[in-house]
Amino acid sequence: MSAFIGLLKKDLSLMKFWYVVWLTFLFLGMIGVYALSVYTSEPSITVPFLVTMAGFHVFLAPLSVLTVLNIEGKTQLWLYNPQGSIKLLLSKISAAALVQLLAQFFISLYALFVMKVLMNEGVIDSFNNFLPWKQGFLMQLGIFGVSMYISIWVIFLWAVYHSLGKYPAIKNFRWLVVILVWVSYNLLEVLLAKTKLIQNMVFSFGVNINIAPKMDYGTNNSWNIIYTDANIPIMTILLYILLSVIFFFLSSWLLDRKVEV
């Protein structure tokens, strides 16, 4: 356990620079947009920035993972680490998850600040009219889940790319293979999703949750978010979790057997 914590601290340290850069731009954007809203006397312009930044956060963890992988690839730290590949990769996912959660915590605080400003200006009546706690939590959970799934794909494609480095004939064209793997998987996924068997097995079981947002600028010159039911396919989510586990272990296998960094 102590060895894993050591790996986690090392990965967090490697991610620190870009994480600080990310937060710096985030805070500067928050201050800039708020200053603009005060200058123009239009507090509602903070809302599009909030939505945009929340969406962009799905890329924070994948970029953090890619940063650490590239650093270790260039410095060959991988070759001199006695820990198994599963621990090495798990520490990176764990570090990225911590970074992601902390960033989403900050964006949640900013959301509270935006809603407080809108309430003070009379644009909204209450927090629940704009973003109820349940919907806010589920949205943050969705952002986190998508971010982690993309992070697993980053690790897998990185492992595929470096595993091809031992073959001189295609070494200079590895990036084409990586693109082909990504495109082929997505084409296969689309084709399978259209089959009746997959639709019956995967998409038939789901739950309706009042989470689908729709922005509405009412006649009373105030922002409202109208929430409607959205079908959450439980089997699809479980399938993506299973795929993430499979890709994680495939990455570990490639790292142990094939990768020379």
Side-chain angles (χ1 to χ4, degrees):
M1 187 64 181
S2 59
F4 179 78
I5 293 176
L7 289 173
L8 184 60
K9 289 181 178 179
K10 176 181 69 67
D11 289 330
L12 285 171
S13 178
L14 293 174
M15 294 177 183
K16 182 172 63 176
F17 173 75
W18 288 112
Y19 179 65
V20 171
V21 171
W22 182 282
L23 286 183
T24 300
F25 277 103
L26 176 63
F27 288 138
L28 289 176
M30 291 176 179
I31 295 171
V33 171
Y34 176 68
L36 181 63
S37 71
V38 173
Y39 178 76
T40 59
S41 300
E42 184 55 65
S44 60
I45 65 175
T46 57
V47 177
F49 177 78
L50 171 63
V51 174
T52 302
M53 288 308 303
F56 271 121
H57 268 65
V58 299
F59 301 109
L60 177 57
L63 289 174
S64 300
V65 168
L66 184 60
T67 297
V68 175
L69 290 173
N70 286 335
I71 291 174
E72 295 199 349
K74 292 177 181 178
T75 59
Q76 295 189 339
L77 291 176
W78 218 279
L79 296 176
Y80 305 108
N81 199 311
Q83 302 299 323
S85 61
I86 291 180
K87 282 187 178 180
L88 290 170
L89 296 178
L90 188 60
S91 72
K92 286 159 181 54
I93 286 293
S94 300
L98 291 174
V99 166
Q100 183 72 27
L101 287 173
L102 187 57
Q104 290 186 217
F105 172 73
F106 285 133
I107 202 70
S108 297
L109 291 180
Y110 180 64
L112 292 174
F113 171 75
V114 168
M115 289 189 288
K116 180 64 175 176
V117 169
L118 295 178
M119 279 186 60
N120 292 340
E121 296 294 331
V123 179
I124 62 174
D125 296 327
S126 66
F127 284 13
N128 280 334
N129 286 346
F130 185 79
L131 184 62
W133 294 104
K134 175 184 175 182
Q135 280 79 3
F137 173 77
L138 291 175
M139 287 179 183
Q140 290 282 30
L141 185 62
I143 291 172
F144 180 79
V146 173
S147 182
M148 290 298 102
Y149 179 71
I150 297 175
S151 298
I152 293 292
W153 262 102
V154 167
I155 290 177
F156 175 66
L157 293 177
W158 182 90
V160 169
Y161 177 84
H162 283 280
S163 67
L164 298 173
K166 62 196 305 183
Y167 303 105
I170 60 174
K171 186 175 182 178
N172 294 329
F173 304 97
R174 291 176 290 173
W175 59 275
L176 285 175
V177 177
V178 170
I179 293 175
L180 182 61
V181 169
W182 171 253
V183 172
S184 299
Y185 170 81
N186 282 277
L187 287 176
L188 179 62
E189 186 180 74
V190 170
L191 292 174
L192 289 175
K194 292 181 178 180
T195 62
K196 290 185 178 180
L197 177 63
I198 297 298
Q199 289 179 353
N200 292 333
M201 291 178 59
V202 177
F203 297 106
S204 59
F205 180 66
V207 293
N208 289 324
I209 300 179
N210 190 250
I211 191 178
K214 179 182 178 181
M215 298 291 297
D216 178 59
Y217 196 73
T219 55
N220 58 344
N221 296 325
S222 64
W223 280 101
N224 294 301
I225 297 184
I226 303 172
Y227 292 94
T228 57
D229 286 346
N231 184 268
I232 306 299
I234 302 299
M235 290 299 297
T236 302
I237 294 174
L238 293 176
L239 177 60
Y240 278 122
I241 293 174
L242 177 61
L243 287 172
S244 297
V245 173
I246 293 173
F247 286 130
F248 178 83
F249 282 105
L250 279 176
S251 303
S252 175
W253 178 80
L254 287 172
L255 184 62
D256 282 334
R257 307 281 180 174
K258 304 291 184 181
V259 172
E260 296 180 1
V261 293

